[in-house]
PDB file of all heavy atoms in Angstrom:
ATOM      1  N   MET A   1     -45.876  46.516 -20.990  1.00 89.00           N
ATOM      2  CA  MET A   1     -46.964  45.586 -20.744  1.00 89.00           C
ATOM      3  C   MET A   1     -47.200  45.486 -19.242  1.00 89.00           C
ATOM      4  O   MET A   1     -46.271  45.377 -18.463  1.00 89.00           O
ATOM      5  CB  MET A   1     -46.623  44.211 -21.300  1.00 89.00           C
ATOM      6  CG  MET A   1     -46.600  44.154 -22.804  1.00 89.00           C
ATOM      7  SD  MET A   1     -46.645  42.510 -23.525  1.00 89.00           S
ATOM      8  CE  MET A   1     -45.338  41.651 -22.725  1.00 89.00           C
ATOM      9  N   ALA A   2     -48.445  45.491 -18.873  1.00 97.00           N
ATOM     10  CA  ALA A   2     -48.811  45.455 -17.461  1.00 97.00           C
ATOM     11  C   ALA A   2     -48.403  44.145 -16.794  1.00 97.00           C
ATOM     12  O   ALA A   2     -47.981  44.147 -15.636  1.00 97.00           O
ATOM     13  CB  ALA A   2     -50.306  45.675 -17.310  1.00 97.00           C
ATOM     14  N   ILE A   3     -48.496  43.041 -17.509  1.00 98.00           N
ATOM     15  CA  ILE A   3     -48.154  41.750 -16.904  1.00 98.00           C
ATOM     16  C   ILE A   3     -46.661  41.681 -16.578  1.00 98.00           C
ATOM     17  O   ILE A   3     -46.272  41.041 -15.604  1.00 98.00           O
ATOM     18  CB  ILE A   3     -48.614  40.567 -17.797  1.00 98.00           C
ATOM     19  CG1 ILE A   3     -48.558  39.252 -17.027  1.00 98.00           C
ATOM     20  CG2 ILE A   3     -47.801  40.478 -19.060  1.00 98.00           C
ATOM     21  CD1 ILE A   3     -49.586  39.131 -15.950  1.00 98.00           C
ATOM     22  N   VAL A   4     -45.837  42.361 -17.353  1.00 98.00           N
ATOM     23  CA  VAL A   4     -44.403  42.412 -17.070  1.00 98.00           C
ATOM     24  C   VAL A   4     -44.182  43.112 -15.734  1.00 98.00           C
ATOM     25  O   VAL A   4     -43.410  42.638 -14.894  1.00 98.00           O
ATOM     26  CB  VAL A   4     -43.631  43.122 -18.209  1.00 98.00           C
ATOM     27  CG1 VAL A   4     -42.193  43.387 -17.806  1.00 98.00           C
ATOM     28  CG2 VAL A   4     -43.706  42.297 -19.481  1.00 98.00           C
ATOM     29  N   THR A   5     -44.893  44.200 -15.515  1.00 98.00           N
ATOM     30  CA  THR A   5     -44.791  44.937 -14.256  1.00 98.00           C
ATOM     31  C   THR A   5     -45.235  44.067 -13.084  1.00 98.00           C
ATOM     32  O   THR A   5     -44.622  44.103 -12.011  1.00 98.00           O
ATOM     33  CB  THR A   5     -45.645  46.221 -14.319  1.00 98.00           C
ATOM     34  OG1 THR A   5     -45.218  46.995 -15.429  1.00 98.00           O
ATOM     35  CG2 THR A   5     -45.513  47.024 -13.048  1.00 98.00           C
ATOM     36  N   VAL A   6     -46.251  43.273 -13.288  1.00 98.00           N
ATOM     37  CA  VAL A   6     -46.721  42.373 -12.233  1.00 98.00           C
ATOM     38  C   VAL A   6     -45.626  41.376 -11.874  1.00 98.00           C
ATOM     39  O   VAL A   6     -45.330  41.168 -10.687  1.00 98.00           O
ATOM     40  CB  VAL A   6     -48.013  41.637 -12.665  1.00 98.00           C
ATOM     41  CG1 VAL A   6     -48.365  40.528 -11.680  1.00 98.00           C
ATOM     42  CG2 VAL A   6     -49.152  42.621 -12.807  1.00 98.00           C
ATOM     43  N   TYR A   7     -45.012  40.761 -12.867  1.00 98.00           N
ATOM     44  CA  TYR A   7     -43.952  39.794 -12.593  1.00 98.00           C
ATOM     45  C   TYR A   7     -42.745  40.459 -11.942  1.00 98.00           C
ATOM     46  O   TYR A   7     -42.140  39.899 -11.027  1.00 98.00           O
ATOM     47  CB  TYR A   7     -43.537  39.038 -13.863  1.00 98.00           C
ATOM     48  CG  TYR A   7     -44.418  37.843 -14.121  1.00 98.00           C
ATOM     49  CD1 TYR A   7     -45.370  37.855 -15.122  1.00 98.00           C
ATOM     50  CD2 TYR A   7     -44.312  36.695 -13.353  1.00 98.00           C
ATOM     51  CE1 TYR A   7     -46.193  36.772 -15.359  1.00 98.00           C
ATOM     52  CE2 TYR A   7     -45.120  35.601 -13.566  1.00 98.00           C
ATOM     53  CZ  TYR A   7     -46.059  35.634 -14.572  1.00 98.00           C
ATOM     54  OH  TYR A   7     -46.874  34.546 -14.785  1.00 98.00           O
ATOM     55  N   VAL A   8     -42.383  41.658 -12.373  1.00 98.00           N
ATOM     56  CA  VAL A   8     -41.272  42.375 -11.751  1.00 98.00           C
ATOM     57  C   VAL A   8     -41.586  42.624 -10.276  1.00 98.00           C
ATOM     58  O   VAL A   8     -40.743  42.391  -9.404  1.00 98.00           O
ATOM     59  CB  VAL A   8     -40.980  43.702 -12.490  1.00 98.00           C
ATOM     60  CG1 VAL A   8     -40.025  44.574 -11.690  1.00 98.00           C
ATOM     61  CG2 VAL A   8     -40.415  43.425 -13.874  1.00 98.00           C
ATOM     62  N   THR A   9     -42.785  43.065  -9.992  1.00 98.00           N
ATOM     63  CA  THR A   9     -43.198  43.325  -8.608  1.00 98.00           C
ATOM     64  C   THR A   9     -43.149  42.046  -7.770  1.00 98.00           C
ATOM     65  O   THR A   9     -42.673  42.058  -6.629  1.00 98.00           O
ATOM     66  CB  THR A   9     -44.614  43.931  -8.578  1.00 98.00           C
ATOM     67  OG1 THR A   9     -44.610  45.125  -9.364  1.00 98.00           O
ATOM     68  CG2 THR A   9     -45.053  44.237  -7.169  1.00 98.00           C
ATOM     69  N   LEU A  10     -43.626  40.960  -8.332  1.00 98.00           N
ATOM     70  CA  LEU A  10     -43.607  39.682  -7.616  1.00 98.00           C
ATOM     71  C   LEU A  10     -42.180  39.207  -7.345  1.00 98.00           C
ATOM     72  O   LEU A  10     -41.891  38.669  -6.266  1.00 98.00           O
ATOM     73  CB  LEU A  10     -44.379  38.620  -8.402  1.00 98.00           C
ATOM     74  CG  LEU A  10     -45.890  38.803  -8.456  1.00 98.00           C
ATOM     75  CD1 LEU A  10     -46.506  37.830  -9.456  1.00 98.00           C
ATOM     76  CD2 LEU A  10     -46.509  38.628  -7.079  1.00 98.00           C
ATOM     77  N   ILE A  11     -41.280  39.394  -8.290  1.00 98.00           N
ATOM     78  CA  ILE A  11     -39.884  39.008  -8.095  1.00 98.00           C
ATOM     79  C   ILE A  11     -39.246  39.854  -7.002  1.00 98.00           C
ATOM     80  O   ILE A  11     -38.581  39.334  -6.097  1.00 98.00           O
ATOM     81  CB  ILE A  11     -39.087  39.115  -9.415  1.00 98.00           C
ATOM     82  CG1 ILE A  11     -39.554  38.036 -10.381  1.00 98.00           C
ATOM     83  CG2 ILE A  11     -37.586  39.004  -9.156  1.00 98.00           C
ATOM     84  CD1 ILE A  11     -39.021  38.188 -11.798  1.00 98.00           C
ATOM     85  N   VAL A  12     -39.468  41.163  -7.041  1.00 98.00           N
ATOM     86  CA  VAL A  12     -38.898  42.059  -6.040  1.00 98.00           C
ATOM     87  C   VAL A  12     -39.437  41.708  -4.647  1.00 98.00           C
ATOM     88  O   VAL A  12     -38.699  41.738  -3.660  1.00 98.00           O
ATOM     89  CB  VAL A  12     -39.182  43.536  -6.395  1.00 98.00           C
ATOM     90  CG1 VAL A  12     -38.791  44.459  -5.262  1.00 98.00           C
ATOM     91  CG2 VAL A  12     -38.441  43.914  -7.678  1.00 98.00           C
ATOM     92  N   ALA A  13     -40.705  41.343  -4.575  1.00 98.00           N
ATOM     93  CA  ALA A  13     -41.321  40.992  -3.294  1.00 98.00           C
ATOM     94  C   ALA A  13     -40.928  39.600  -2.817  1.00 98.00           C
ATOM     95  O   ALA A  13     -41.246  39.217  -1.691  1.00 98.00           O
ATOM     96  CB  ALA A  13     -42.841  41.086  -3.416  1.00 98.00           C
ATOM     97  N   GLY A  14     -40.255  38.829  -3.679  1.00 97.00           N
ATOM     98  CA  GLY A  14     -39.845  37.488  -3.308  1.00 97.00           C
ATOM     99  C   GLY A  14     -40.934  36.441  -3.448  1.00 97.00           C
ATOM    100  O   GLY A  14     -40.797  35.324  -2.952  1.00 97.00           O
ATOM    101  N   ARG A  15     -42.008  36.773  -4.123  1.00 98.00           N
ATOM    102  CA  ARG A  15     -43.131  35.837  -4.282  1.00 98.00           C
ATOM    103  C   ARG A  15     -42.968  34.942  -5.509  1.00 98.00           C
ATOM    104  O   ARG A  15     -43.622  33.915  -5.620  1.00 98.00           O
ATOM    105  CB  ARG A  15     -44.451  36.602  -4.402  1.00 98.00           C
ATOM    106  CG  ARG A  15     -44.735  37.619  -3.322  1.00 98.00           C
ATOM    107  CD  ARG A  15     -45.435  37.123  -2.077  1.00 98.00           C
ATOM    108  NE  ARG A  15     -46.408  36.090  -2.233  1.00 98.00           N
ATOM    109  CZ  ARG A  15     -47.719  36.259  -2.106  1.00 98.00           C
ATOM    110  NH1 ARG A  15     -48.209  37.444  -1.860  1.00 98.00           N
ATOM    111  NH2 ARG A  15     -48.526  35.243  -2.229  1.00 98.00           N
ATOM    112  N   ARG A  16     -42.122  35.346  -6.447  1.00 98.00           N
ATOM    113  CA  ARG A  16     -41.824  34.559  -7.647  1.00 98.00           C
ATOM    114  C   ARG A  16     -40.325  34.643  -7.925  1.00 98.00           C
ATOM    115  O   ARG A  16     -39.659  35.578  -7.496  1.00 98.00           O
ATOM    116  CB  ARG A  16     -42.563  35.098  -8.876  1.00 98.00           C
ATOM    117  CG  ARG A  16     -44.046  34.972  -8.848  1.00 98.00           C
ATOM    118  CD  ARG A  16     -44.485  33.527  -9.092  1.00 98.00           C
ATOM    119  NE  ARG A  16     -45.927  33.385  -9.191  1.00 98.00           N
ATOM    120  CZ  ARG A  16     -46.747  33.236  -8.161  1.00 98.00           C
ATOM    121  NH1 ARG A  16     -46.282  33.252  -6.933  1.00 98.00           N
ATOM    122  NH2 ARG A  16     -48.037  33.093  -8.340  1.00 98.00           N
ATOM    123  N   THR A  17     -39.826  33.662  -8.656  1.00 98.00           N
ATOM    124  CA  THR A  17     -38.442  33.698  -9.112  1.00 98.00           C
ATOM    125  C   THR A  17     -38.451  33.970 -10.612  1.00 98.00           C
ATOM    126  O   THR A  17     -39.480  33.806 -11.280  1.00 98.00           O
ATOM    127  CB  THR A  17     -37.722  32.363  -8.850  1.00 98.00           C
ATOM    128  OG1 THR A  17     -38.364  31.339  -9.633  1.00 98.00           O
ATOM    129  CG2 THR A  17     -37.742  32.001  -7.382  1.00 98.00           C
ATOM    130  N   PHE A  18     -37.295  34.361 -11.130  1.00 98.00           N
ATOM    131  CA  PHE A  18     -37.202  34.620 -12.563  1.00 98.00           C
ATOM    132  C   PHE A  18     -37.540  33.360 -13.354  1.00 98.00           C
ATOM    133  O   PHE A  18     -38.156  33.431 -14.411  1.00 98.00           O
ATOM    134  CB  PHE A  18     -35.801  35.134 -12.918  1.00 98.00           C
ATOM    135  CG  PHE A  18     -35.670  35.541 -14.350  1.00 98.00           C
ATOM    136  CD1 PHE A  18     -36.172  36.759 -14.791  1.00 98.00           C
ATOM    137  CD2 PHE A  18     -35.058  34.712 -15.279  1.00 98.00           C
ATOM    138  CE1 PHE A  18     -36.070  37.139 -16.126  1.00 98.00           C
ATOM    139  CE2 PHE A  18     -34.946  35.086 -16.605  1.00 98.00           C
ATOM    140  CZ  PHE A  18     -35.450  36.298 -17.018  1.00 98.00           C
ATOM    141  N   ALA A  19     -37.165  32.202 -12.838  1.00 98.00           N
ATOM    142  CA  ALA A  19     -37.441  30.938 -13.529  1.00 98.00           C
ATOM    143  C   ALA A  19     -38.942  30.659 -13.653  1.00 98.00           C
ATOM    144  O   ALA A  19     -39.364  29.923 -14.546  1.00 98.00           O
ATOM    145  CB  ALA A  19     -36.757  29.792 -12.799  1.00 98.00           C
ATOM    146  N   GLN A  20     -39.746  31.264 -12.785  1.00 98.00           N
ATOM    147  CA  GLN A  20     -41.194  31.060 -12.822  1.00 98.00           C
ATOM    148  C   GLN A  20     -41.896  31.984 -13.824  1.00 98.00           C
ATOM    149  O   GLN A  20     -43.086  31.830 -14.061  1.00 98.00           O
ATOM    150  CB  GLN A  20     -41.789  31.271 -11.432  1.00 98.00           C
ATOM    151  CG  GLN A  20     -41.384  30.199 -10.443  1.00 98.00           C
ATOM    152  CD  GLN A  20     -41.865  30.510  -9.049  1.00 98.00           C
ATOM    153  OE1 GLN A  20     -41.553  31.560  -8.497  1.00 98.00           O
ATOM    154  NE2 GLN A  20     -42.634  29.601  -8.484  1.00 98.00           N
ATOM    155  N   VAL A  21     -41.155  32.908 -14.385  1.00 98.00           N
ATOM    156  CA  VAL A  21     -41.720  33.818 -15.389  1.00 98.00           C
ATOM    157  C   VAL A  21     -41.845  33.048 -16.705  1.00 98.00           C
ATOM    158  O   VAL A  21     -40.903  32.353 -17.102  1.00 98.00           O
ATOM    159  CB  VAL A  21     -40.807  35.057 -15.583  1.00 98.00           C
ATOM    160  CG1 VAL A  21     -41.327  35.955 -16.693  1.00 98.00           C
ATOM    161  CG2 VAL A  21     -40.677  35.830 -14.287  1.00 98.00           C
ATOM    162  N   PRO A  22     -42.976  33.135 -17.390  1.00 98.00           N
ATOM    163  CA  PRO A  22     -43.115  32.451 -18.685  1.00 98.00           C
ATOM    164  C   PRO A  22     -41.999  32.876 -19.652  1.00 98.00           C
ATOM    165  O   PRO A  22     -41.590  34.047 -19.678  1.00 98.00           O
ATOM    166  CB  PRO A  22     -44.478  32.917 -19.189  1.00 98.00           C
ATOM    167  CG  PRO A  22     -45.226  33.303 -17.956  1.00 98.00           C
ATOM    168  CD  PRO A  22     -44.203  33.848 -17.016  1.00 98.00           C
ATOM    169  N   ALA A  23     -41.523  31.922 -20.422  1.00 98.00           N
ATOM    170  CA  ALA A  23     -40.403  32.164 -21.338  1.00 98.00           C
ATOM    171  C   ALA A  23     -40.678  33.330 -22.289  1.00 98.00           C
ATOM    172  O   ALA A  23     -39.752  34.069 -22.637  1.00 98.00           O
ATOM    173  CB  ALA A  23     -40.092  30.894 -22.129  1.00 98.00           C
ATOM    174  N   THR A  24     -41.917  33.497 -22.671  1.00 98.00           N
ATOM    175  CA  THR A  24     -42.257  34.567 -23.615  1.00 98.00           C
ATOM    176  C   THR A  24     -42.114  35.950 -22.995  1.00 98.00           C
ATOM    177  O   THR A  24     -42.031  36.938 -23.724  1.00 98.00           O
ATOM    178  CB  THR A  24     -43.692  34.404 -24.141  1.00 98.00           C
ATOM    179  OG1 THR A  24     -44.582  34.359 -23.026  1.00 98.00           O
ATOM    180  CG2 THR A  24     -43.826  33.133 -24.959  1.00 98.00           C
ATOM    181  N   LEU A  25     -42.093  36.043 -21.663  1.00 98.00           N
ATOM    182  CA  LEU A  25     -41.996  37.329 -20.981  1.00 98.00           C
ATOM    183  C   LEU A  25     -40.635  37.579 -20.337  1.00 98.00           C
ATOM    184  O   LEU A  25     -40.365  38.684 -19.878  1.00 98.00           O
ATOM    185  CB  LEU A  25     -43.076  37.425 -19.889  1.00 98.00           C
ATOM    186  CG  LEU A  25     -44.519  37.375 -20.346  1.00 98.00           C
ATOM    187  CD1 LEU A  25     -45.443  37.346 -19.138  1.00 98.00           C
ATOM    188  CD2 LEU A  25     -44.840  38.569 -21.230  1.00 98.00           C
ATOM    189  N   GLN A  26     -39.785  36.561 -20.297  1.00 98.00           N
ATOM    190  CA  GLN A  26     -38.518  36.685 -19.572  1.00 98.00           C
ATOM    191  C   GLN A  26     -37.640  37.827 -20.060  1.00 98.00           C
ATOM    192  O   GLN A  26     -37.064  38.544 -19.243  1.00 98.00           O
ATOM    193  CB  GLN A  26     -37.747  35.367 -19.599  1.00 98.00           C
ATOM    194  CG  GLN A  26     -38.323  34.358 -18.645  1.00 98.00           C
ATOM    195  CD  GLN A  26     -37.501  33.086 -18.554  1.00 98.00           C
ATOM    196  OE1 GLN A  26     -36.535  32.901 -19.280  1.00 98.00           O
ATOM    197  NE2 GLN A  26     -37.906  32.208 -17.664  1.00 98.00           N
ATOM    198  N   ALA A  27     -37.540  38.031 -21.350  1.00 98.00           N
ATOM    199  CA  ALA A  27     -36.690  39.103 -21.874  1.00 98.00           C
ATOM    200  C   ALA A  27     -37.183  40.466 -21.400  1.00 98.00           C
ATOM    201  O   ALA A  27     -36.396  41.314 -20.961  1.00 98.00           O
ATOM    202  CB  ALA A  27     -36.630  39.053 -23.394  1.00 98.00           C
ATOM    203  N   ALA A  28     -38.482  40.684 -21.460  1.00 98.00           N
ATOM    204  CA  ALA A  28     -39.053  41.964 -21.041  1.00 98.00           C
ATOM    205  C   ALA A  28     -38.913  42.164 -19.530  1.00 98.00           C
ATOM    206  O   ALA A  28     -38.608  43.266 -19.069  1.00 98.00           O
ATOM    207  CB  ALA A  28     -40.517  42.055 -21.451  1.00 98.00           C
ATOM    208  N   VAL A  29     -39.110  41.103 -18.765  1.00 98.00           N
ATOM    209  CA  VAL A  29     -38.969  41.196 -17.304  1.00 98.00           C
ATOM    210  C   VAL A  29     -37.516  41.494 -16.949  1.00 98.00           C
ATOM    211  O   VAL A  29     -37.236  42.345 -16.100  1.00 98.00           O
ATOM    212  CB  VAL A  29     -39.469  39.904 -16.622  1.00 98.00           C
ATOM    213  CG1 VAL A  29     -39.098  39.880 -15.144  1.00 98.00           C
ATOM    214  CG2 VAL A  29     -40.976  39.771 -16.790  1.00 98.00           C
ATOM    215  N   GLU A  30     -36.587  40.815 -17.602  1.00 98.00           N
ATOM    216  CA  GLU A  30     -35.163  41.070 -17.341  1.00 98.00           C
ATOM    217  C   GLU A  30     -34.793  42.514 -17.684  1.00 98.00           C
ATOM    218  O   GLU A  30     -34.063  43.162 -16.939  1.00 98.00           O
ATOM    219  CB  GLU A  30     -34.297  40.093 -18.129  1.00 98.00           C
ATOM    220  CG  GLU A  30     -32.822  40.241 -17.816  1.00 98.00           C
ATOM    221  CD  GLU A  30     -31.957  39.199 -18.497  1.00 98.00           C
ATOM    222  OE1 GLU A  30     -32.483  38.369 -19.268  1.00 98.00           O
ATOM    223  OE2 GLU A  30     -30.739  39.224 -18.264  1.00 98.00           O
ATOM    224  N   THR A  31     -35.320  43.038 -18.775  1.00 98.00           N
ATOM    225  CA  THR A  31     -35.063  44.427 -19.167  1.00 98.00           C
ATOM    226  C   THR A  31     -35.571  45.392 -18.099  1.00 98.00           C
ATOM    227  O   THR A  31     -34.873  46.344 -17.731  1.00 98.00           O
ATOM    228  CB  THR A  31     -35.728  44.731 -20.523  1.00 98.00           C
ATOM    229  OG1 THR A  31     -35.179  43.856 -21.502  1.00 98.00           O
ATOM    230  CG2 THR A  31     -35.507  46.166 -20.941  1.00 98.00           C
ATOM    231  N   GLU A  32     -36.774  45.149 -17.587  1.00 98.00           N
ATOM    232  CA  GLU A  32     -37.337  46.011 -16.548  1.00 98.00           C
ATOM    233  C   GLU A  32     -36.531  45.937 -15.256  1.00 98.00           C
ATOM    234  O   GLU A  32     -36.269  46.957 -14.619  1.00 98.00           O
ATOM    235  CB  GLU A  32     -38.789  45.628 -16.259  1.00 98.00           C
ATOM    236  CG  GLU A  32     -39.762  46.148 -17.267  1.00 98.00           C
ATOM    237  CD  GLU A  32     -39.840  47.669 -17.273  1.00 98.00           C
ATOM    238  OE1 GLU A  32     -39.901  48.287 -16.200  1.00 98.00           O
ATOM    239  OE2 GLU A  32     -39.833  48.230 -18.371  1.00 98.00           O
ATOM    240  N   LEU A  33     -36.135  44.734 -14.875  1.00 98.00           N
ATOM    241  CA  LEU A  33     -35.331  44.579 -13.661  1.00 98.00           C
ATOM    242  C   LEU A  33     -34.004  45.318 -13.804  1.00 98.00           C
ATOM    243  O   LEU A  33     -33.575  46.026 -12.886  1.00 98.00           O
ATOM    244  CB  LEU A  33     -35.084  43.097 -13.358  1.00 98.00           C
ATOM    245  CG  LEU A  33     -36.287  42.303 -12.842  1.00 98.00           C
ATOM    246  CD1 LEU A  33     -35.986  40.810 -12.864  1.00 98.00           C
ATOM    247  CD2 LEU A  33     -36.675  42.747 -11.446  1.00 98.00           C
ATOM    248  N   THR A  34     -33.374  45.185 -14.958  1.00 98.00           N
ATOM    249  CA  THR A  34     -32.104  45.862 -15.214  1.00 98.00           C
ATOM    250  C   THR A  34     -32.283  47.375 -15.185  1.00 98.00           C
ATOM    251  O   THR A  34     -31.453  48.095 -14.625  1.00 98.00           O
ATOM    252  CB  THR A  34     -31.520  45.418 -16.572  1.00 98.00           C
ATOM    253  OG1 THR A  34     -31.354  43.996 -16.553  1.00 98.00           O
ATOM    254  CG2 THR A  34     -30.184  46.078 -16.848  1.00 98.00           C
ATOM    255  N   ALA A  35     -33.365  47.872 -15.750  1.00 98.00           N
ATOM    256  CA  ALA A  35     -33.641  49.311 -15.755  1.00 98.00           C
ATOM    257  C   ALA A  35     -33.802  49.847 -14.329  1.00 98.00           C
ATOM    258  O   ALA A  35     -33.509  51.009 -14.058  1.00 98.00           O
ATOM    259  CB  ALA A  35     -34.879  49.610 -16.582  1.00 98.00           C
ATOM    260  N   LEU A  36     -34.260  48.988 -13.426  1.00 97.00           N
ATOM    261  CA  LEU A  36     -34.428  49.375 -12.034  1.00 97.00           C
ATOM    262  C   LEU A  36     -33.146  49.173 -11.213  1.00 97.00           C
ATOM    263  O   LEU A  36     -33.129  49.436 -10.019  1.00 97.00           O
ATOM    264  CB  LEU A  36     -35.565  48.557 -11.396  1.00 97.00           C
ATOM    265  CG  LEU A  36     -36.958  48.823 -11.946  1.00 97.00           C
ATOM    266  CD1 LEU A  36     -37.943  47.791 -11.396  1.00 97.00           C
ATOM    267  CD2 LEU A  36     -37.412  50.235 -11.606  1.00 97.00           C
ATOM    268  N   GLY A  37     -32.097  48.689 -11.875  1.00 98.00           N
ATOM    269  CA  GLY A  37     -30.827  48.456 -11.177  1.00 98.00           C
ATOM    270  C   GLY A  37     -30.839  47.166 -10.371  1.00 98.00           C
ATOM    271  O   GLY A  37     -30.121  47.040  -9.392  1.00 98.00           O
ATOM    272  N   LEU A  38     -31.644  46.202 -10.823  1.00 98.00           N
ATOM    273  CA  LEU A  38     -31.785  44.930 -10.116  1.00 98.00           C
ATOM    274  C   LEU A  38     -31.302  43.771 -10.991  1.00 98.00           C
ATOM    275  O   LEU A  38     -31.303  43.864 -12.212  1.00 98.00           O
ATOM    276  CB  LEU A  38     -33.250  44.693  -9.730  1.00 98.00           C
ATOM    277  CG  LEU A  38     -33.896  45.794  -8.893  1.00 98.00           C
ATOM    278  CD1 LEU A  38     -35.391  45.530  -8.755  1.00 98.00           C
ATOM    279  CD2 LEU A  38     -33.244  45.906  -7.539  1.00 98.00           C
ATOM    280  N   ASP A  39     -30.909  42.677 -10.313  1.00 98.00           N
ATOM    281  CA  ASP A  39     -30.552  41.477 -11.074  1.00 98.00           C
ATOM    282  C   ASP A  39     -31.800  40.604 -11.240  1.00 98.00           C
ATOM    283  O   ASP A  39     -32.896  41.003 -10.867  1.00 98.00           O
ATOM    284  CB  ASP A  39     -29.411  40.723 -10.378  1.00 98.00           C
ATOM    285  CG  ASP A  39     -29.767  40.204  -8.982  1.00 98.00           C
ATOM    286  OD1 ASP A  39     -30.960  40.232  -8.611  1.00 98.00           O
ATOM    287  OD2 ASP A  39     -28.853  39.762  -8.273  1.00 98.00           O
ATOM    288  N   LYS A  40     -31.629  39.397 -11.768  1.00 97.00           N
ATOM    289  CA  LYS A  40     -32.777  38.530 -12.033  1.00 97.00           C
ATOM    290  C   LYS A  40     -33.474  38.070 -10.756  1.00 97.00           C
ATOM    291  O   LYS A  40     -34.596  37.602 -10.802  1.00 97.00           O
ATOM    292  CB  LYS A  40     -32.345  37.301 -12.839  1.00 97.00           C
ATOM    293  CG  LYS A  40     -31.984  37.608 -14.267  1.00 97.00           C
ATOM    294  CD  LYS A  40     -31.628  36.333 -15.003  1.00 97.00           C
ATOM    295  CE  LYS A  40     -31.214  36.596 -16.413  1.00 97.00           C
ATOM    296  NZ  LYS A  40     -30.867  35.350 -17.104  1.00 97.00           N
ATOM    297  N   ASP A  41     -32.777  38.175  -9.625  1.00 96.00           N
ATOM    298  CA  ASP A  41     -33.371  37.790  -8.338  1.00 96.00           C
ATOM    299  C   ASP A  41     -34.063  38.954  -7.640  1.00 96.00           C
ATOM    300  O   ASP A  41     -34.546  38.814  -6.526  1.00 96.00           O
ATOM    301  CB  ASP A  41     -32.301  37.220  -7.416  1.00 96.00           C
ATOM    302  CG  ASP A  41     -31.685  35.937  -7.964  1.00 96.00           C
ATOM    303  OD1 ASP A  41     -32.437  35.108  -8.521  1.00 96.00           O
ATOM    304  OD2 ASP A  41     -30.469  35.763  -7.828  1.00 96.00           O
ATOM    305  N   GLY A  42     -34.061  40.131  -8.279  1.00 97.00           N
ATOM    306  CA  GLY A  42     -34.687  41.295  -7.686  1.00 97.00           C
ATOM    307  C   GLY A  42     -33.817  42.001  -6.661  1.00 97.00           C
ATOM    308  O   GLY A  42     -34.294  42.841  -5.905  1.00 97.00           O
ATOM    309  N   GLN A  43     -32.536  41.656  -6.653  1.00 97.00           N
ATOM    310  CA  GLN A  43     -31.586  42.272  -5.722  1.00 97.00           C
ATOM    311  C   GLN A  43     -30.796  43.370  -6.416  1.00 97.00           C
ATOM    312  O   GLN A  43     -30.554  43.306  -7.616  1.00 97.00           O
ATOM    313  CB  GLN A  43     -30.614  41.204  -5.188  1.00 97.00           C
ATOM    314  CG  GLN A  43     -31.293  40.032  -4.514  1.00 97.00           C
ATOM    315  CD  GLN A  43     -32.087  40.439  -3.304  1.00 97.00           C
ATOM    316  OE1 GLN A  43     -31.612  41.209  -2.470  1.00 97.00           O
ATOM    317  NE2 GLN A  43     -33.303  39.936  -3.197  1.00 97.00           N
ATOM    318  N   LEU A  44     -30.397  44.371  -5.642  1.00 96.00           N
ATOM    319  CA  LEU A  44     -29.602  45.458  -6.211  1.00 96.00           C
ATOM    320  C   LEU A  44     -28.316  44.930  -6.820  1.00 96.00           C
ATOM    321  O   LEU A  44     -27.678  44.048  -6.252  1.00 96.00           O
ATOM    322  CB  LEU A  44     -29.265  46.501  -5.145  1.00 96.00           C
ATOM    323  CG  LEU A  44     -30.422  47.372  -4.681  1.00 96.00           C
ATOM    324  CD1 LEU A  44     -29.980  48.239  -3.510  1.00 96.00           C
ATOM    325  CD2 LEU A  44     -30.932  48.222  -5.811  1.00 96.00           C
ATOM    326  N   VAL A  45     -27.947  45.513  -7.948  1.00 93.00           N
ATOM    327  CA  VAL A  45     -26.719  45.106  -8.632  1.00 93.00           C
ATOM    328  C   VAL A  45     -25.562  45.830  -7.979  1.00 93.00           C
ATOM    329  O   VAL A  45     -25.613  46.945  -7.619  1.00 93.00           O
ATOM    330  CB  VAL A  45     -26.784  45.451 -10.130  1.00 93.00           C
ATOM    331  CG1 VAL A  45     -25.461  45.137 -10.811  1.00 93.00           C
ATOM    332  CG2 VAL A  45     -27.901  44.697 -10.785  1.00 93.00           C
TER     333      VAL A  45
END
């Protein structure tokens, strides 16, 4: 989903936090962040 990519990009850029992601999208955003080797804060694991 494109909106998931938008939220992932915003988290990595520091413009949003994981807590600001709508609950319905959090699982997908977390999956994308993990796939990129990042934690919920957008930092390298």
Side-chain angles (χ1 to χ4, degrees):
M1 290 196 308
I3 193 70
V4 170
T5 303
V6 170
Y7 275 106
V8 169
T9 303
L10 290 170
I11 291 170
V12 171
R15 308 272 325 252
R16 294 285 185 275
T17 64
F18 185 78
Q20 292 174 303
V21 176
T24 56
L25 297 175
Q26 284 185 355
V29 170
E30 184 175 3
T31 300
E32 281 295 315
L33 288 168
T34 302
L36 294 171
L38 304 172
D39 63 11
K40 289 182 182 180
D41 297 320
Q43 303 298 314
L44 288 173
V45 175

